[in-house]
Structures are given as C-alpha cells and as structure tokens.
Amino acid sequence: MLEQRRIRDFGIVIGKLPTGQRNAITDVEGVRVGHATIKKGDVNTGVTALIPHSGNTFQEKLIAAVHVINGFGKSAGLIQVDELGTLETPVLLTNTFGVGTAINGIIQYMLAQNTDIGDKTGTVNPVVFECNDSYLNDIRGMHVGSSDIDSAIENAAADFPEGAVGAGTGMSCYKLKGGIGSASRLIRIGGKNYMVGMLVLTNMGKLENLTVAGRKAGAEIAANQKEGKPSADKGSLIMIIATDLPMTSRQLKRIARRAEVGVARTGNDIATGSGEIVLAFSTAQRIKHYEKRGVIDIKMLDEECLDTVFQAVAECSEEAVLNSMITAERTVGRDGHIRESLTRYL
C-alpha cells in the first residue's frame, strides 16, 4: 500500500492468518480502488470507487450477495443483487445525499462501455453505498458532482490510500476520525492459495466502546475527556468483501454475515441509527450477459471449508476498521467540529 502508517506499524497484529502482499482488498487479483476527495472549509466529503474485475462487469457479471445487518441506510441496487445473486457494475461509496449523483455516474459509465444497455438489452443495476458525514461535512450543499464519480473510477488502482480520503473524508468512527480501511487474508484450501479481502467505510460507534486488540482503549480515552456524558451512536458501516474462492451466492451471503464478528471485536454494538450493510462477491467465475447455453456449470466451495473463510472475514473486518482510523488524520470540519485521529492516543 502507499506510505501510510497502519495498525500493524504500531505493533498491533490482528488475528492469526497471514495477510496478502498489500494487506488490502486489492490483493484479490483484478480488484482496484480509487478516490475523489473534496476538502475545503466546511466541505469534507468525496467518492470511493471499487472496480471488481479488469473486464466489462456488465458483460461478465460476478456472483455476489448482500447482507443487511441493520437497514438504516439509503443504498442503491441491493434488491437486485439479493434477487439475482450477481454484481454487474463498479461499486461506489459516498455520502447520503450523493447517492443520486453516484447512481447517475455509474449509469453513464456503463452506457459508455455498453451501447446495448437500454436498447438491445435491459437496463443496468448500479450499486451505491452511503454513510452520513454531516458532522464534519456540509452535506446540505450536495458537493459531490458527476466529475467526482468519473475521477474516482479513473483513479482506481491496486495501491490506494486509506483514512480520510474519498467517501471517508468526512466520516467518524467511535467518535474519532474514521473513513476508508482495508485488510486481506491468505488462506489455503485443497492445496491451493486463495485470497479474502475487505474494504470498509466506517462511520459508527461510541467512543467508550472502542476496543483495540482486546484493550478498552475508548474507555481510557473517554475518561480523560471532559464531556462527561456517553456519546450517541448514529452513523453507518459499509463492508465490501472480495474473494477469488469459487462460491455460490448463498455461500457469499454466509460469509457476509460473519463480517460483523470482527467489527464487534472493535466495540460495535449495532445501534438502531447505524446502517450496517455488507456486499460480498467472488472473482472466481464470470456469468456472461449473453449466455448461449441453457445450463451453465458453477463451482462452489466445500461447506466444510467455510470455517477458515469465516475466520478470514472476521480478521479482515476487525483490522480494516482499525486501519480506517489509524490512517485518518485529525479533521476540523463543519462549524468547527473536530474528530481526533486514533494516532494521537497510540
């Protein structure tokens, strides 16, 4: 990854499984991530784009699944992913009021790549996730524009920054600075190596609940602050899992359900006002849009091997959340609101 100090650089190792080369979702071959960051005065927001594979995602769809932990959110495209079990576009993350712009941006991007969409074939299902960054950002100004969508997609690469960038620019996590985080795990099944990676957008949690590798760090930090009363939890958490394991949509939904295990280890108790959503996809198999065969063969993982994948997902989610905080710098945002970086306390 780029030259940022991540949680392991502070001597804190999460889990037991080995990481990928980058310890990021882009360790899954073909996955790329890009950002467009908008930061000026009261404006702290942006867009993050995840490209799921290097080909045409509409013509060659990926098997996918969605799991909604708590549905307080305004995401787009989830119903069709859940119904059909496929992903056919890049995935965008942004603030709540940027969802409409992001939808249009993906549609324009896909139309430029596919002249048949909406003409000789059906429409396209854009997938967009959001969190509310209004504590640090002038969200009412609706500052995310179509050019930002284009920029995030065009900037997508295997190496990408984390923290207060892109969609994470104005996000808070455990009442400290949150944002974009990532992690990966290398697992060996059937004599072969496979990768599990995760990208998170963190905007949730109470400070007093923050736990770092088992240590009640948030309680220690809160005890030294003068505010006195516990903080409310009104935010969101988006988690995207990528793997090169051959899996069915049902199996991907099963691993998506385990994403919260690692997040819970950081202290998250899934408040009523926190939208928590997981998307999982596999790059191992492509579903052709113009499939000529009546019956197609789909490989799947032996169910007895899923426990290792569950462990990988849990470790990734815990570490990705901490990476989203440790890489995010102190931010002064709208109306002088401040979110300190976790690095101040480590």
Side-chain angles (χ1 to χ4, degrees):
M1 295 294 282
L2 303 180
E3 294 182 3
Q4 289 182 294
R5 295 190 73 191
R6 306 170 85 200
I7 197 67
R8 291 183 178 237
D9 296 314
F10 290 84
I12 299 172
V13 177
I14 302 300
K16 299 178 180 179
L17 294 171
T19 71
Q21 181 181 357
R22 300 180 179 87
N23 193 15
I25 194 170
T26 49
D27 285 322
V28 178
E29 187 175 353
V31 177
R32 293 171 290 141
V33 175
H35 304 296
T37 300
I38 311 169
K39 190 174 180 64
K40 184 178 181 181
D42 284 352
V43 181
N44 292 277
T45 193
V47 179
T48 294
L50 183 143
I51 312 299
H53 69 72
S54 57
N56 186 310
T57 52
F58 183 77
Q59 301 295 337
E60 295 183 305
K61 309 175 198 303
L62 298 181
I63 298 175
V66 169
H67 174 55
V68 178
I69 300 167
N70 191 58
F72 198 108
K74 291 81 180 171
S75 299
L78 307 189
I79 294 176
Q80 183 168 314
V81 173
D82 192 52
E83 181 71 21
L84 301 184
T86 57
L87 175 68
E88 61 184 24
T89 71
V91 179
L92 293 186
L93 300 91
T94 187
N95 73 57
T96 308
F97 289 171
V99 171
T101 301
I103 290 172
N104 288 336
I106 293 182
I107 292 174
Q108 292 292 343
Y109 173 78
M110 298 305 293
L111 290 178
Q113 285 193 330
N114 302 273
T115 58
D116 53 340
I117 291 178
D119 182 11
K120 298 178 177 63
T121 190
T123 56
V124 68
N125 182 51
V127 176
V128 180
F129 294 100
E130 56 78 32
C131 292
N132 181 353
D133 60 9
S134 60
Y135 184 78
L136 293 174
N137 174 50
D138 170 31
I139 196 169
R140 288 176 59 89
M142 301 180 70
H143 299 281
V144 173
S146 58
S147 62
D148 300 308
I149 309 301
D150 295 339
S151 178
I153 294 174
E154 291 169 3
N155 291 335
D159 291 313
F160 61 94
E162 296 168 277
V165 292
T169 305
M171 301 301 173
S172 305
C173 189
Y174 293 111
K175 300 303 181 281
L176 299 174
K177 189 66 189 74
I180 296 291
S182 195
S184 70
R185 292 296 184 270
L186 177 68
I187 58 179
R188 191 165 179 82
I189 296 177
K192 295 182 179 181
N193 290 333
Y194 295 96
M195 195 64 62
V196 176
M198 182 173 291
L199 182 83
V200 298
L201 177 62
T202 61
N203 193 50
M204 80 300 174
K206 300 177 182 179
L207 174 59
E208 54 270 25
N209 290 349
L210 172 62
T211 304
V212 180
R215 178 173 175 173
K216 302 296 183 181
E220 297 176 39
I221 296 169
N224 290 299
Q225 293 187 349
K226 299 180 180 180
E227 294 183 6
K229 62 179 182 179
S231 54
D233 181 2
K234 292 186 177 181
S236 289
L237 170 63
I238 304 301
M239 294 176 276
I240 302 174
I241 303 168
T243 183
D244 54 8
L245 280 160
M247 304 183 81
T248 65
S249 180
R250 177 187 59 80
Q251 290 180 320
L252 288 166
K253 185 178 282 287
R254 292 194 69 195
I255 69 170
R257 293 193 185 105
R258 270 65 179 186
E260 185 60 31
V261 172
V263 180
R265 293 172 185 163
T266 70
N268 187 35
D269 53 11
I270 317 175
T272 184
S274 181
E276 320 243 344
I277 304 172
V278 189
L279 170 72
F281 66 88
S282 168
T283 62
Q285 301 171 97
R286 308 285 175 89
I287 306 298
K288 295 181 180 179
H289 183 73
Y290 293 106
E291 178 58 63
K292 297 179 180 179
R293 297 170 295 172
V295 178
I296 59 176
D297 296 324
I298 298 295
K299 293 182 179 180
M300 63 177 284
L301 185 65
D302 180 359
E303 295 286 316
E304 295 301 318
C305 297
L306 278 175
D307 281 349
T308 304
V309 189
F310 292 161
Q311 179 185 352
V313 168
E315 290 186 12
C316 281
S317 59
E318 181 179 4
E319 185 160 356
V321 168
L322 296 176
N323 278 336
S324 78
M325 301 177 71
I326 207 70
T327 57
E329 70 273 10
R330 179 180 188 268
T331 299
V332 179
R334 180 179 67 86
D335 296 336
H337 292 166
I338 298 173
R339 289 299 191 212
E340 296 287 352
S341 171
L342 182 58
T343 55
R344 172 182 175 182
Y345 304 101
L346 288 184

